Amino acid sequence: ARLVVLVSGSGTNLQALLDAAEDPAYGAAVVAVGADRPGITGLERAERAGVPTFVRRVQDFADRVEWDRSLTGAVAEHRPDLVVSAGFMKIVGKEFLARFGGRVVNTHPALLPSFPGAHGVRDALAYGAKVTGCTVHFVDDGVDTGPIIAQHVVDIHEDDTEEALHERIKTVEREALVHVVGRLAREGYRIEGRRVLVP
Ligand code: GRF
């Protein structure tokens, strides 16, 4: 399966997919990496792996619709079977979802539906939750609301900082993402309402 991965930061989830794809038996390869900003480590990781990259900055476009249209075109050029949003910090729009809906996987560092949005780790910590974790889900037209594919629990420690907790979550998150993407690529899947059925 052809994967296009979207990143906004360090790209450790991307790196895990790049490493997994080294094994031909994995059944998926990263064919391109897109970002919403230049100069991030995620893009360096792609370049180091010889994977084509593209950047689409919101501020370079008249509005979000134009940005979304351009992003959709840039992703479509690489003919993805699956689009993986791995730490991509923008909400994709209608055109993107019309083109790739049902084939966009996102990873979120909290146990959805708890703590959606851009600060899931900070919010769980601030709330005084005892456990949090990560969620791998399909992207729908909401924010972090699509059908859930996998979740893993991570304990919150008394003295946790947001960074320490996020690093612990990311260790589990990248394994979950690699496992899910591999299974979707090799086994195929069906989405029935809010249920994801992977044979
Ligand atoms: C991940 O925890 C992702 O869920 C969140 O930001 C982090 C990105 O990490 N949105 P990386 O860029 O993959 O290292």
Side-chain angles (χ1 to χ4, degrees), residues 136-172:
V136 183
H137 64 96
F138 280 106
V139 172
D140 65 5
D141 54 3
V143 177
D144 297 329
T145 55
I148 292 172
I149 308 168
Q151 292 188 298
H152 293 274
V153 173
V154 172
D155 286 333
I156 296 179
H157 299 163
E158 280 303 308
D159 57 350
D160 258 337
T161 60
E162 180 182 349
E163 292 69 32
L165 176 56
H166 201 167
E167 278 318 304
R168 247 193 353 270
I169 292 171
K170 284 171 74 169
T171 304
V172 174

PDB file of all heavy atoms in Angstrom, residues 136-172:
ATOM      1  N   VAL A 136      -5.801   5.654  17.721  1.00  0.00           N
ATOM      2  CA  VAL A 136      -5.618   5.678  16.266  1.00  0.00           C
ATOM      3  C   VAL A 136      -7.022   5.562  15.675  1.00  0.00           C
ATOM      4  O   VAL A 136      -7.773   4.653  16.050  1.00  0.00           O
ATOM      5  CB  VAL A 136      -4.727   4.517  15.774  1.00  0.00           C
ATOM      6  CG1 VAL A 136      -4.501   4.626  14.259  1.00  0.00           C
ATOM      7  CG2 VAL A 136      -3.381   4.537  16.502  1.00  0.00           C
ATOM      8  N   HIS A 137      -7.382   6.539  14.825  1.00  0.00           N
ATOM      9  CA  HIS A 137      -8.766   6.558  14.325  1.00  0.00           C
ATOM     10  C   HIS A 137      -8.815   7.058  12.891  1.00  0.00           C
ATOM     11  O   HIS A 137      -7.864   7.696  12.396  1.00  0.00           O
ATOM     12  CB  HIS A 137      -9.641   7.443  15.223  1.00  0.00           C
ATOM     13  CG  HIS A 137      -9.248   8.891  15.215  1.00  0.00           C
ATOM     14  ND1 HIS A 137      -9.860   9.827  14.404  1.00  0.00           N
ATOM     15  CD2 HIS A 137      -8.278   9.568  15.886  1.00  0.00           C
ATOM     16  CE1 HIS A 137      -9.304  11.011  14.610  1.00  0.00           C
ATOM     17  NE2 HIS A 137      -8.333  10.886  15.489  1.00  0.00           N
ATOM     18  N   PHE A 138      -9.922   6.790  12.231  1.00  0.00           N
ATOM     19  CA  PHE A 138     -10.133   7.358  10.906  1.00  0.00           C
ATOM     20  C   PHE A 138     -10.600   8.797  11.091  1.00  0.00           C
ATOM     21  O   PHE A 138     -11.285   9.119  12.060  1.00  0.00           O
ATOM     22  CB  PHE A 138     -11.190   6.550  10.120  1.00  0.00           C
ATOM     23  CG  PHE A 138     -10.638   5.293   9.517  1.00  0.00           C
ATOM     24  CD1 PHE A 138     -10.943   4.051  10.052  1.00  0.00           C
ATOM     25  CD2 PHE A 138      -9.777   5.355   8.423  1.00  0.00           C
ATOM     26  CE1 PHE A 138     -10.411   2.886   9.502  1.00  0.00           C
ATOM     27  CE2 PHE A 138      -9.242   4.195   7.874  1.00  0.00           C
ATOM     28  CZ  PHE A 138      -9.562   2.958   8.405  1.00  0.00           C
ATOM     29  N   VAL A 139     -10.189   9.653  10.169  1.00  0.00           N
ATOM     30  CA  VAL A 139     -10.569  11.064  10.207  1.00  0.00           C
ATOM     31  C   VAL A 139     -11.932  11.234   9.528  1.00  0.00           C
ATOM     32  O   VAL A 139     -12.139  10.737   8.416  1.00  0.00           O
ATOM     33  CB  VAL A 139      -9.496  11.921   9.492  1.00  0.00           C
ATOM     34  CG1 VAL A 139      -9.967  13.364   9.342  1.00  0.00           C
ATOM     35  CG2 VAL A 139      -8.179  11.864  10.283  1.00  0.00           C
ATOM     36  N   ASP A 140     -12.836  11.909  10.239  1.00  0.00           N
ATOM     37  CA  ASP A 140     -14.119  12.254   9.592  1.00  0.00           C
ATOM     38  C   ASP A 140     -14.216  13.783   9.596  1.00  0.00           C
ATOM     39  O   ASP A 140     -13.218  14.467   9.830  1.00  0.00           O
ATOM     40  CB  ASP A 140     -15.302  11.570  10.302  1.00  0.00           C
ATOM     41  CG  ASP A 140     -15.506  12.063  11.729  1.00  0.00           C
ATOM     42  OD1 ASP A 140     -14.795  13.009  12.156  1.00  0.00           O
ATOM     43  OD2 ASP A 140     -16.371  11.507  12.428  1.00  0.00           O
ATOM     44  N   ASP A 141     -15.394  14.324   9.416  1.00  0.00           N
ATOM     45  CA  ASP A 141     -15.471  15.785   9.233  1.00  0.00           C
ATOM     46  C   ASP A 141     -15.483  16.548  10.565  1.00  0.00           C
ATOM     47  O   ASP A 141     -15.647  17.749  10.603  1.00  0.00           O
ATOM     48  CB  ASP A 141     -16.688  16.178   8.388  1.00  0.00           C
ATOM     49  CG  ASP A 141     -17.967  15.594   8.985  1.00  0.00           C
ATOM     50  OD1 ASP A 141     -17.859  14.956  10.055  1.00  0.00           O
ATOM     51  OD2 ASP A 141     -19.033  15.759   8.370  1.00  0.00           O
ATOM     52  N   GLY A 142     -15.251  15.797  11.658  1.00  0.00           N
ATOM     53  CA  GLY A 142     -15.151  16.470  12.964  1.00  0.00           C
ATOM     54  C   GLY A 142     -13.691  16.604  13.372  1.00  0.00           C
ATOM     55  O   GLY A 142     -12.792  16.294  12.595  1.00  0.00           O
ATOM     56  N   VAL A 143     -13.445  17.049  14.603  1.00  0.00           N
ATOM     57  CA  VAL A 143     -12.071  17.135  15.128  1.00  0.00           C
ATOM     58  C   VAL A 143     -11.876  15.958  16.084  1.00  0.00           C
ATOM     59  O   VAL A 143     -12.511  15.888  17.138  1.00  0.00           O
ATOM     60  CB  VAL A 143     -11.828  18.475  15.872  1.00  0.00           C
ATOM     61  CG1 VAL A 143     -10.421  18.500  16.459  1.00  0.00           C
ATOM     62  CG2 VAL A 143     -12.038  19.645  14.924  1.00  0.00           C
ATOM     63  N   ASP A 144     -11.040  14.998  15.669  1.00  0.00           N
ATOM     64  CA  ASP A 144     -10.741  13.822  16.508  1.00  0.00           C
ATOM     65  C   ASP A 144     -11.996  13.022  16.839  1.00  0.00           C
ATOM     66  O   ASP A 144     -12.115  12.454  17.929  1.00  0.00           O
ATOM     67  CB  ASP A 144     -10.057  14.281  17.811  1.00  0.00           C
ATOM     68  CG  ASP A 144      -8.720  14.962  17.536  1.00  0.00           C
ATOM     69  OD1 ASP A 144      -8.059  14.584  16.548  1.00  0.00           O
ATOM     70  OD2 ASP A 144      -8.364  15.872  18.295  1.00  0.00           O
ATOM     71  N   THR A 145     -12.941  12.955  15.901  1.00  0.00           N
ATOM     72  CA  THR A 145     -14.227  12.289  16.174  1.00  0.00           C
ATOM     73  C   THR A 145     -14.465  11.044  15.319  1.00  0.00           C
ATOM     74  O   THR A 145     -15.521  10.424  15.429  1.00  0.00           O
ATOM     75  CB  THR A 145     -15.397  13.259  15.887  1.00  0.00           C
ATOM     76  OG1 THR A 145     -15.227  13.726  14.521  1.00  0.00           O
ATOM     77  CG2 THR A 145     -15.383  14.455  16.833  1.00  0.00           C
ATOM     78  N   GLY A 146     -13.555  10.685  14.461  1.00  0.00           N
ATOM     79  CA  GLY A 146     -13.810   9.573  13.531  1.00  0.00           C
ATOM     80  C   GLY A 146     -13.784   8.206  14.201  1.00  0.00           C
ATOM     81  O   GLY A 146     -13.386   8.091  15.369  1.00  0.00           O
ATOM     82  N   PRO A 147     -14.201   7.168  13.501  1.00  0.00           N
ATOM     83  CA  PRO A 147     -14.262   5.806  14.050  1.00  0.00           C
ATOM     84  C   PRO A 147     -12.907   5.345  14.585  1.00  0.00           C
ATOM     85  O   PRO A 147     -11.889   5.489  13.922  1.00  0.00           O
ATOM     86  CB  PRO A 147     -14.678   4.949  12.843  1.00  0.00           C
ATOM     87  CG  PRO A 147     -15.376   5.886  11.917  1.00  0.00           C
ATOM     88  CD  PRO A 147     -14.681   7.215  12.099  1.00  0.00           C
ATOM     89  N   ILE A 148     -12.920   4.795  15.782  1.00  0.00           N
ATOM     90  CA  ILE A 148     -11.677   4.403  16.472  1.00  0.00           C
ATOM     91  C   ILE A 148     -11.214   3.036  15.975  1.00  0.00           C
ATOM     92  O   ILE A 148     -12.006   2.099  15.836  1.00  0.00           O
ATOM     93  CB  ILE A 148     -11.903   4.381  18.002  1.00  0.00           C
ATOM     94  CG1 ILE A 148     -12.126   5.827  18.508  1.00  0.00           C
ATOM     95  CG2 ILE A 148     -10.726   3.724  18.730  1.00  0.00           C
ATOM     96  CD1 ILE A 148     -12.540   5.919  19.966  1.00  0.00           C
ATOM     97  N   ILE A 149      -9.911   2.934  15.687  1.00  0.00           N
ATOM     98  CA  ILE A 149      -9.331   1.674  15.218  1.00  0.00           C
ATOM     99  C   ILE A 149      -8.598   0.970  16.351  1.00  0.00           C
ATOM    100  O   ILE A 149      -8.701  -0.237  16.530  1.00  0.00           O
ATOM    101  CB  ILE A 149      -8.345   1.923  14.051  1.00  0.00           C
ATOM    102  CG1 ILE A 149      -8.994   2.764  12.959  1.00  0.00           C
ATOM    103  CG2 ILE A 149      -7.831   0.600  13.474  1.00  0.00           C
ATOM    104  CD1 ILE A 149      -8.007   3.294  11.929  1.00  0.00           C
ATOM    105  N   ALA A 150      -7.830   1.728  17.142  1.00  0.00           N
ATOM    106  CA  ALA A 150      -7.078   1.130  18.270  1.00  0.00           C
ATOM    107  C   ALA A 150      -6.838   2.185  19.342  1.00  0.00           C
ATOM    108  O   ALA A 150      -6.788   3.382  19.056  1.00  0.00           O
ATOM    109  CB  ALA A 150      -5.728   0.613  17.770  1.00  0.00           C
ATOM    110  N   GLN A 151      -6.734   1.691  20.610  1.00  0.00           N
ATOM    111  CA  GLN A 151      -6.398   2.587  21.719  1.00  0.00           C
ATOM    112  C   GLN A 151      -5.460   1.834  22.667  1.00  0.00           C
ATOM    113  O   GLN A 151      -5.539   0.610  22.786  1.00  0.00           O
ATOM    114  CB  GLN A 151      -7.655   3.008  22.492  1.00  0.00           C
ATOM    115  CG  GLN A 151      -8.575   3.911  21.648  1.00  0.00           C
ATOM    116  CD  GLN A 151      -9.719   4.497  22.455  1.00  0.00           C
ATOM    117  OE1 GLN A 151     -10.538   3.765  22.979  1.00  0.00           O
ATOM    118  NE2 GLN A 151      -9.747   5.839  22.566  1.00  0.00           N
ATOM    119  N   HIS A 152      -4.558   2.583  23.302  1.00  0.00           N
ATOM    120  CA  HIS A 152      -3.653   1.992  24.294  1.00  0.00           C
ATOM    121  C   HIS A 152      -3.566   2.929  25.493  1.00  0.00           C
ATOM    122  O   HIS A 152      -3.541   4.159  25.314  1.00  0.00           O
ATOM    123  CB  HIS A 152      -2.265   1.750  23.689  1.00  0.00           C
ATOM    124  CG  HIS A 152      -2.288   0.696  22.626  1.00  0.00           C
ATOM    125  ND1 HIS A 152      -2.179  -0.647  22.899  1.00  0.00           N
ATOM    126  CD2 HIS A 152      -2.483   0.783  21.288  1.00  0.00           C
ATOM    127  CE1 HIS A 152      -2.281  -1.344  21.765  1.00  0.00           C
ATOM    128  NE2 HIS A 152      -2.469  -0.504  20.776  1.00  0.00           N
ATOM    129  N   VAL A 153      -3.549   2.336  26.691  1.00  0.00           N
ATOM    130  CA  VAL A 153      -3.568   3.113  27.925  1.00  0.00           C
ATOM    131  C   VAL A 153      -2.150   3.398  28.407  1.00  0.00           C
ATOM    132  O   VAL A 153      -1.254   2.549  28.276  1.00  0.00           O
ATOM    133  CB  VAL A 153      -4.332   2.315  29.014  1.00  0.00           C
ATOM    134  CG1 VAL A 153      -4.238   3.015  30.360  1.00  0.00           C
ATOM    135  CG2 VAL A 153      -5.783   2.140  28.589  1.00  0.00           C
ATOM    136  N   VAL A 154      -1.948   4.618  28.925  1.00  0.00           N
ATOM    137  CA  VAL A 154      -0.665   4.999  29.520  1.00  0.00           C
ATOM    138  C   VAL A 154      -0.971   5.602  30.888  1.00  0.00           C
ATOM    139  O   VAL A 154      -1.852   6.463  31.010  1.00  0.00           O
ATOM    140  CB  VAL A 154       0.058   6.050  28.634  1.00  0.00           C
ATOM    141  CG1 VAL A 154       1.293   6.597  29.335  1.00  0.00           C
ATOM    142  CG2 VAL A 154       0.425   5.442  27.278  1.00  0.00           C
ATOM    143  N   ASP A 155      -0.305   5.120  31.940  1.00  0.00           N
ATOM    144  CA  ASP A 155      -0.527   5.660  33.285  1.00  0.00           C
ATOM    145  C   ASP A 155       0.008   7.082  33.391  1.00  0.00           C
ATOM    146  O   ASP A 155       1.027   7.417  32.786  1.00  0.00           O
ATOM    147  CB  ASP A 155       0.214   4.803  34.330  1.00  0.00           C
ATOM    148  CG  ASP A 155      -0.485   3.461  34.549  1.00  0.00           C
ATOM    149  OD1 ASP A 155      -1.725   3.405  34.337  1.00  0.00           O
ATOM    150  OD2 ASP A 155       0.203   2.484  34.900  1.00  0.00           O
ATOM    151  N   ILE A 156      -0.675   7.896  34.163  1.00  0.00           N
ATOM    152  CA  ILE A 156      -0.181   9.245  34.467  1.00  0.00           C
ATOM    153  C   ILE A 156       0.464   9.179  35.845  1.00  0.00           C
ATOM    154  O   ILE A 156      -0.124   8.653  36.790  1.00  0.00           O
ATOM    155  CB  ILE A 156      -1.332  10.277  34.445  1.00  0.00           C
ATOM    156  CG1 ILE A 156      -1.916  10.374  33.020  1.00  0.00           C
ATOM    157  CG2 ILE A 156      -0.824  11.638  34.906  1.00  0.00           C
ATOM    158  CD1 ILE A 156      -3.071  11.348  32.875  1.00  0.00           C
ATOM    159  N   HIS A 157       1.697   9.662  35.941  1.00  0.00           N
ATOM    160  CA  HIS A 157       2.424   9.643  37.214  1.00  0.00           C
ATOM    161  C   HIS A 157       2.201  10.953  37.955  1.00  0.00           C
ATOM    162  O   HIS A 157       2.020  12.008  37.327  1.00  0.00           O
ATOM    163  CB  HIS A 157       3.936   9.465  36.960  1.00  0.00           C
ATOM    164  CG  HIS A 157       4.263   8.180  36.252  1.00  0.00           C
ATOM    165  ND1 HIS A 157       5.466   7.957  35.614  1.00  0.00           N
ATOM    166  CD2 HIS A 157       3.523   7.036  36.064  1.00  0.00           C
ATOM    167  CE1 HIS A 157       5.465   6.740  35.080  1.00  0.00           C
ATOM    168  NE2 HIS A 157       4.298   6.161  35.339  1.00  0.00           N
ATOM    169  N   GLU A 158       2.233  10.903  39.285  1.00  0.00           N
ATOM    170  CA  GLU A 158       2.021  12.084  40.136  1.00  0.00           C
ATOM    171  C   GLU A 158       2.875  13.269  39.674  1.00  0.00           C
ATOM    172  O   GLU A 158       2.411  14.383  39.552  1.00  0.00           O
ATOM    173  CB  GLU A 158       2.396  11.742  41.596  1.00  0.00           C
ATOM    174  CG  GLU A 158       1.280  10.979  42.324  1.00  0.00           C
ATOM    175  CD  GLU A 158      -0.046  11.749  42.310  1.00  0.00           C
ATOM    176  OE1 GLU A 158      -0.066  12.933  42.695  1.00  0.00           O
ATOM    177  OE2 GLU A 158      -1.063  11.161  41.848  1.00  0.00           O
ATOM    178  N   ASP A 159       4.154  13.004  39.387  1.00  0.00           N
ATOM    179  CA  ASP A 159       5.078  14.128  39.117  1.00  0.00           C
ATOM    180  C   ASP A 159       5.224  14.390  37.616  1.00  0.00           C
ATOM    181  O   ASP A 159       6.160  15.053  37.191  1.00  0.00           O
ATOM    182  CB  ASP A 159       6.460  13.782  39.712  1.00  0.00           C
ATOM    183  CG  ASP A 159       6.985  12.452  39.114  1.00  0.00           C
ATOM    184  OD1 ASP A 159       6.174  11.766  38.419  1.00  0.00           O
ATOM    185  OD2 ASP A 159       8.169  12.125  39.314  1.00  0.00           O
ATOM    186  N   ASP A 160       4.315  13.855  36.823  1.00  0.00           N
ATOM    187  CA  ASP A 160       4.465  13.999  35.367  1.00  0.00           C
ATOM    188  C   ASP A 160       4.437  15.455  34.918  1.00  0.00           C
ATOM    189  O   ASP A 160       3.612  16.252  35.380  1.00  0.00           O
ATOM    190  CB  ASP A 160       3.325  13.269  34.646  1.00  0.00           C
ATOM    191  CG  ASP A 160       3.770  11.922  34.071  1.00  0.00           C
ATOM    192  OD1 ASP A 160       4.977  11.747  33.843  1.00  0.00           O
ATOM    193  OD2 ASP A 160       2.905  11.061  33.878  1.00  0.00           O
ATOM    194  N   THR A 161       5.338  15.771  33.999  1.00  0.00           N
ATOM    195  CA  THR A 161       5.196  17.043  33.272  1.00  0.00           C
ATOM    196  C   THR A 161       4.527  16.675  31.942  1.00  0.00           C
ATOM    197  O   THR A 161       4.497  15.502  31.570  1.00  0.00           O
ATOM    198  CB  THR A 161       6.576  17.640  32.938  1.00  0.00           C
ATOM    199  OG1 THR A 161       7.282  16.677  32.114  1.00  0.00           O
ATOM    200  CG2 THR A 161       7.380  17.913  34.200  1.00  0.00           C
ATOM    201  N   GLU A 162       4.047  17.676  31.226  1.00  0.00           N
ATOM    202  CA  GLU A 162       3.411  17.425  29.926  1.00  0.00           C
ATOM    203  C   GLU A 162       4.394  16.731  28.997  1.00  0.00           C
ATOM    204  O   GLU A 162       4.054  15.750  28.321  1.00  0.00           O
ATOM    205  CB  GLU A 162       2.942  18.742  29.305  1.00  0.00           C
ATOM    206  CG  GLU A 162       2.264  18.543  27.954  1.00  0.00           C
ATOM    207  CD  GLU A 162       1.835  19.848  27.302  1.00  0.00           C
ATOM    208  OE1 GLU A 162       1.865  20.910  27.973  1.00  0.00           O
ATOM    209  OE2 GLU A 162       1.461  19.804  26.116  1.00  0.00           O
ATOM    210  N   GLU A 163       5.654  17.188  29.012  1.00  0.00           N
ATOM    211  CA  GLU A 163       6.661  16.615  28.104  1.00  0.00           C
ATOM    212  C   GLU A 163       6.923  15.156  28.448  1.00  0.00           C
ATOM    213  O   GLU A 163       6.930  14.294  27.577  1.00  0.00           O
ATOM    214  CB  GLU A 163       7.981  17.401  28.174  1.00  0.00           C
ATOM    215  CG  GLU A 163       7.892  18.816  27.616  1.00  0.00           C
ATOM    216  CD  GLU A 163       7.029  19.731  28.494  1.00  0.00           C
ATOM    217  OE1 GLU A 163       7.017  19.529  29.726  1.00  0.00           O
ATOM    218  OE2 GLU A 163       6.312  20.609  27.933  1.00  0.00           O
ATOM    219  N   ALA A 164       7.135  14.889  29.735  1.00  0.00           N
ATOM    220  CA  ALA A 164       7.467  13.513  30.158  1.00  0.00           C
ATOM    221  C   ALA A 164       6.308  12.577  29.801  1.00  0.00           C
ATOM    222  O   ALA A 164       6.517  11.503  29.229  1.00  0.00           O
ATOM    223  CB  ALA A 164       7.732  13.476  31.651  1.00  0.00           C
ATOM    224  N   LEU A 165       5.096  13.025  30.082  1.00  0.00           N
ATOM    225  CA  LEU A 165       3.928  12.195  29.785  1.00  0.00           C
ATOM    226  C   LEU A 165       3.788  11.993  28.276  1.00  0.00           C
ATOM    227  O   LEU A 165       3.553  10.890  27.795  1.00  0.00           O
ATOM    228  CB  LEU A 165       2.664  12.835  30.362  1.00  0.00           C
ATOM    229  CG  LEU A 165       1.331  12.134  30.052  1.00  0.00           C
ATOM    230  CD1 LEU A 165       1.359  10.667  30.492  1.00  0.00           C
ATOM    231  CD2 LEU A 165       0.179  12.876  30.732  1.00  0.00           C
ATOM    232  N   HIS A 166       3.991  13.079  27.505  1.00  0.00           N
ATOM    233  CA  HIS A 166       3.839  12.964  26.048  1.00  0.00           C
ATOM    234  C   HIS A 166       4.877  12.005  25.468  1.00  0.00           C
ATOM    235  O   HIS A 166       4.557  11.182  24.614  1.00  0.00           O
ATOM    236  CB  HIS A 166       3.951  14.339  25.383  1.00  0.00           C
ATOM    237  CG  HIS A 166       3.317  14.374  24.022  1.00  0.00           C
ATOM    238  ND1 HIS A 166       3.055  15.532  23.340  1.00  0.00           N
ATOM    239  CD2 HIS A 166       2.896  13.378  23.209  1.00  0.00           C
ATOM    240  CE1 HIS A 166       2.487  15.249  22.178  1.00  0.00           C
ATOM    241  NE2 HIS A 166       2.387  13.943  22.073  1.00  0.00           N
ATOM    242  N   GLU A 167       6.098  12.062  25.993  1.00  0.00           N
ATOM    243  CA  GLU A 167       7.121  11.133  25.478  1.00  0.00           C
ATOM    244  C   GLU A 167       6.718   9.693  25.758  1.00  0.00           C
ATOM    245  O   GLU A 167       6.870   8.811  24.912  1.00  0.00           O
ATOM    246  CB  GLU A 167       8.491  11.439  26.089  1.00  0.00           C
ATOM    247  CG  GLU A 167       9.210  12.585  25.394  1.00  0.00           C
ATOM    248  CD  GLU A 167       9.086  12.534  23.846  1.00  0.00           C
ATOM    249  OE1 GLU A 167       9.460  11.500  23.250  1.00  0.00           O
ATOM    250  OE2 GLU A 167       8.596  13.525  23.256  1.00  0.00           O
ATOM    251  N   ARG A 168       6.144   9.463  26.960  1.00  0.00           N
ATOM    252  CA  ARG A 168       5.727   8.077  27.295  1.00  0.00           C
ATOM    253  C   ARG A 168       4.583   7.640  26.382  1.00  0.00           C
ATOM    254  O   ARG A 168       4.522   6.509  25.910  1.00  0.00           O
ATOM    255  CB  ARG A 168       5.282   8.009  28.756  1.00  0.00           C
ATOM    256  CG  ARG A 168       6.207   7.173  29.620  1.00  0.00           C
ATOM    257  CD  ARG A 168       5.790   6.766  30.981  1.00  0.00           C
ATOM    258  NE  ARG A 168       4.585   7.296  31.538  1.00  0.00           N
ATOM    259  CZ  ARG A 168       4.517   8.418  32.247  1.00  0.00           C
ATOM    260  NH1 ARG A 168       5.585   9.160  32.409  1.00  0.00           N
ATOM    261  NH2 ARG A 168       3.385   8.818  32.756  1.00  0.00           N
ATOM    262  N   ILE A 169       3.689   8.589  26.102  1.00  0.00           N
ATOM    263  CA  ILE A 169       2.569   8.259  25.193  1.00  0.00           C
ATOM    264  C   ILE A 169       3.097   7.963  23.787  1.00  0.00           C
ATOM    265  O   ILE A 169       2.692   6.998  23.142  1.00  0.00           O
ATOM    266  CB  ILE A 169       1.550   9.419  25.135  1.00  0.00           C
ATOM    267  CG1 ILE A 169       0.831   9.574  26.475  1.00  0.00           C
ATOM    268  CG2 ILE A 169       0.526   9.181  24.017  1.00  0.00           C
ATOM    269  CD1 ILE A 169      -0.026  10.825  26.580  1.00  0.00           C
ATOM    270  N   LYS A 170       4.054   8.776  23.355  1.00  0.00           N
ATOM    271  CA  LYS A 170       4.547   8.612  21.982  1.00  0.00           C
ATOM    272  C   LYS A 170       5.218   7.251  21.777  1.00  0.00           C
ATOM    273  O   LYS A 170       5.161   6.686  20.690  1.00  0.00           O
ATOM    274  CB  LYS A 170       5.498   9.757  21.600  1.00  0.00           C
ATOM    275  CG  LYS A 170       4.750  11.036  21.302  1.00  0.00           C
ATOM    276  CD  LYS A 170       5.684  12.218  21.129  1.00  0.00           C
ATOM    277  CE  LYS A 170       6.426  12.199  19.847  1.00  0.00           C
ATOM    278  NZ  LYS A 170       7.130  13.480  19.583  1.00  0.00           N
ATOM    279  N   THR A 171       5.811   6.713  22.844  1.00  0.00           N
ATOM    280  CA  THR A 171       6.451   5.392  22.732  1.00  0.00           C
ATOM    281  C   THR A 171       5.396   4.348  22.374  1.00  0.00           C
ATOM    282  O   THR A 171       5.606   3.506  21.496  1.00  0.00           O
ATOM    283  CB  THR A 171       7.124   5.029  24.081  1.00  0.00           C
ATOM    284  OG1 THR A 171       8.032   6.052  24.430  1.00  0.00           O
ATOM    285  CG2 THR A 171       7.824   3.686  23.990  1.00  0.00           C
ATOM    286  N   VAL A 172       4.231   4.459  23.012  1.00  0.00           N
ATOM    287  CA  VAL A 172       3.149   3.498  22.771  1.00  0.00           C
ATOM    288  C   VAL A 172       2.455   3.822  21.451  1.00  0.00           C
ATOM    289  O   VAL A 172       2.100   2.950  20.666  1.00  0.00           O
ATOM    290  CB  VAL A 172       2.129   3.572  23.937  1.00  0.00           C
ATOM    291  CG1 VAL A 172       0.919   2.712  23.664  1.00  0.00           C
ATOM    292  CG2 VAL A 172       2.793   3.188  25.236  1.00  0.00           C
TER     293      VAL A 172
END
